Amino acid sequence: MTVAIGLTALATGCGVSGDDEVTLRLVAADYGDSAANTTKKYWDDLVSSYEADHPGVEIDVTVYSWNDVDRKVKEMVDAGNPPDMAQIGAYSDYAAAGRLYPASEVLSIPTQADFVSQFVRAGEVDGQQYGIPFAASTRLLFYNKALFQQAGITKPPTTREELAEDAAALKADGVKYPFALPLGPEEAQAETMQWLLAGDGGYTDTVGSYSIDSAQNIDTFTWLKDELVGKDLTGPVAPGKLNRAAAFAAFADGQVGMVNGHPSLMKMAAKKGVKFGMVPLPGTEGPSRSVMGVTDWMTAFRKNGHRDEVGDFLDYVYNDKNVLAFSREYDLLPVTTSASAAMSASPQDKDLEPFLEQLPLSELYPVGKTSWPAVSADIKKRIGSAVTPGGSPAGVLRQLQTAATAAQAAE
C-alpha cells in the first residue's frame, strides 16, 4: 500500500516568502497496521502544527509500507532525484557514498546530544554520525494464554526444546499456528537475528566480521528446520512466505500460540481481546542472554541543499512532545534520553517497561557497515529456503556468508 500526502509547511523559524520559498520532500515508512492508523496521520498532524509557526516552505510527505520504502528511496537516489529526508531502515551505503549530511551539520547541539548513546554509535560511519535514530524496539516472545491453558501448558517455555514441546501440544489441540515463524521478505532479517542470538550466535563475530555460517548459526537453523518446520509446528503458510505483519495479525485473531513480537503487537492483541504473556526468547539452555534491538533511521540527503530548513524541521520532529506522541501511537521506544526518561516515569507507559528495560543491553544490526543493506536484502531473499523440506540450512548460510564477505571486502 502506498499513501501519498502533500502537506504545506515549514521553513526556518523566521519563515520565507516569494522567490525564497522552498519545497522539501520527506519519504517515510508506515508503522500502522491498517488505514485507520497509518503514519500518514502522524505526519499530517506534526507538519500542520509546525507550519502554523513556520510558513514559507512546502513539504511533500510520501508514506510507503515497510515492504516498499527502502526500495523506493533507492530508486529515487539511483535516478539522481533523492528526497531531502528519508526515514528508512538503513543509511550506511548512502553515507559512504557521500550523499548524506552528517547529523552535526543539520541538528542543533541539544537535539544531537539527547540521543541514546548506543544509537549514536550505531549511526556512525568512520566515526561520524550520519544515521539519525527515529524509533526503536526490542523483541520478546509473545504467547496466547488462553491457547496455552486449553492445551494444558502451565508455563511459558524457557528453552527451545520446551518451546518445541509446547508447539506440539498446541498443534495437537488444533491451534492453526502453534509457532508463527515469519521468514518472509518483510522482516526476515529480524526474525533471523533473534534466533541466531538465542542460539549464542549472531551476524558478526567479536571483531565485527560477518559470521553468518558459524557452527552456532548452522545449529540454530538446523533445529528450526527439523524441530519446528519439519514437524509442521509453524502453521499452514511456509515460513519463507509468511511476513511479520501477517503473523502479528494472526496472533491478534487468536490463531497463533507463540510468535516473536515487538511492542506494537501488544496493542493489536489487546484490541482483539487476546490475553497474552511476554518472555525472553528461549535459547539452547535457558532464556536468551542476548536480545535484539532495532532502530530505524532518519537521513538527510545533501543533493538538494536546504540544510537549514531540514535541520530546523528535524529539531521539531525530535522534541519530546513529538517523540512521545509517535512512540505511544505505535508502541515503540523513544530514541532520546529525555523521552525515554519521561516514558519510564509515566504510569500510562507501564506496558512498555519490559521492552525499555532490555534496550540498554540489546544488540543492533551491524548497520554501520556499508555492506549491511545488501547483506540484509540477501537474507530477506534467501533465508526462508533454509527451512524448506528440501532446504539446507548450512548451504544457505554459507551462500549468505560468501556474499557478505565479498560485500564487506568491497567496503
Side-chain angles (χ1 to χ4, degrees):
M1 178 187 70
T2 299
V3 183
I5 47 176
L7 301 171
T8 326
L10 44 136
T12 57
C14 59
V16 295
S17 61
D19 294 338
D20 292 327
E21 290 188 0
V22 170
T23 297
L24 300 180
R25 290 185 299 139
L26 167 64
V27 174
D30 195 347
Y31 290 80
D33 56 15
S34 68
N37 74 335
T38 173
T39 309
K40 167 190 179 296
K41 294 184 177 181
Y42 171 78
W43 289 112
D44 192 353
D45 290 343
L46 185 147
V47 172
S48 294
S49 64
Y50 184 83
E51 70 177 340
D53 295 323
H54 302 77
V57 175
E58 181 178 290
I59 293 228
D60 293 323
V61 181
T62 306
V63 177
Y64 292 106
S65 77
W66 270 113
N67 287 336
D68 300 322
V69 66
D70 288 331
R71 175 176 55 82
K72 289 289 188 179
V73 171
K74 185 178 186 302
E75 289 172 355
M76 294 175 191
V77 172
D78 290 347
N81 188 32
D84 296 280
M85 296 165 284
Q87 186 265 299
I88 48 181
Y91 68 88
S92 57
D93 49 347
Y94 298 132
R99 299 183 186 276
L100 302 180
Y101 285 115
S104 60
E105 291 187 17
V106 289
L107 299 176
S108 68
I109 292 174
T111 297
Q112 193 176 1
D114 196 26
F115 291 120
V116 174
S117 60
Q118 71 194 92
F119 297 149
V120 173
R121 293 191 298 272
E124 292 178 345
V125 172
D126 295 330
Q128 179 88 282
Q129 184 188 356
Y130 293 92
I132 304 170
F134 183 73
S137 66
T138 56
R139 301 294 199 270
L140 290 169
L141 175 69
F142 283 66
Y143 63 96
N144 184 311
K145 289 184 174 181
L147 295 181
F148 265 47
Q149 183 177 12
Q150 292 166 19
I153 304 169
T154 58
K155 60 183 179 64
T158 60
T159 67
R160 65 189 191 189
E161 285 72 24
E162 290 177 0
L163 185 150
E165 291 171 2
D166 291 346
L170 290 163
K171 180 189 175 184
D173 199 49
V175 175
K176 186 174 182 179
Y177 292 89
F179 188 98
L181 184 65
L183 294 175
E186 180 189 5
E187 208 178 32
Q189 83 288 357
E191 185 73 18
T192 297
M193 183 171 174
Q194 292 169 83
W195 283 103
L196 298 186
L197 291 174
D200 300 320
Y203 285 134
T204 57
D205 59 22
T206 55
V207 296
S209 296
Y210 287 111
S211 57
I212 299 172
D213 65 344
S214 69
Q216 297 95 321
N217 292 346
I218 290 173
D219 176 72
T220 292
F221 263 79
T222 299
W223 182 86
L224 286 172
K225 177 179 182 291
D226 294 345
E227 301 301 323
L228 288 188
V229 183
K231 294 184 177 178
D232 196 25
L233 300 179
T234 54
V237 180
K241 303 291 186 182
L242 183 65
N243 278 328
R244 187 267 311 163
F248 279 18
F251 186 86
D253 286 338
Q255 300 177 333
V256 174
M258 295 175 281
V259 67
N260 292 323
H262 55 63
S264 66
L265 183 54
M266 294 189 300
K267 184 178 289 185
M268 290 178 62
K271 280 182 180 178
K272 296 288 189 72
V274 173
K275 303 298 183 184
F276 59 89
M278 302 179 298
V279 294
L281 180 62
T284 53
E285 298 179 357
S288 176
R289 295 188 295 270
S290 299
V291 177
M292 187 186 75
V294 174
T295 185
D296 303 318
W297 303 97
M298 180 70 76
T299 56
F301 284 85
R302 286 184 176 275
K303 183 169 184 180
N304 302 321
H306 312 313
R307 183 186 70 179
D308 292 342
E309 291 86 355
V310 168
D312 190 64
F313 177 60
L314 291 180
D315 280 342
Y316 185 75
V317 168
Y318 286 102
N319 71 32
D320 279 357
K321 176 184 175 182
N322 290 324
V323 171
L324 287 169
F326 183 87
S327 300
R328 286 166 173 161
E329 176 64 27
Y330 298 104
D331 287 317
L332 292 168
L333 306 180
V335 294
T336 62
T337 55
S338 57
S340 294
M343 183 171 277
S344 296
S346 173
Q348 78 177 89
D349 301 310
K350 188 169 181 59
D351 287 347
L352 286 169
E353 188 173 337
F355 297 95
L356 282 166
E357 289 175 349
Q358 288 188 322
L359 194 59
L361 301 175
S362 62
E363 295 190 31
L364 305 178
Y365 299 131
V367 290
K369 301 171 78 64
T370 58
S371 55
W372 172 244
V375 173
S376 176
D378 201 22
I379 292 167
K380 291 179 182 181
K381 179 180 177 181
R382 297 176 187 261
I383 197 65
S385 65
V387 297
T388 58
S392 167
V396 171
L397 292 176
R398 284 170 185 150
Q399 289 174 348
L400 289 168
Q401 176 66 29
T402 298
T405 300
Q408 181 172 273
E411 289 182 352

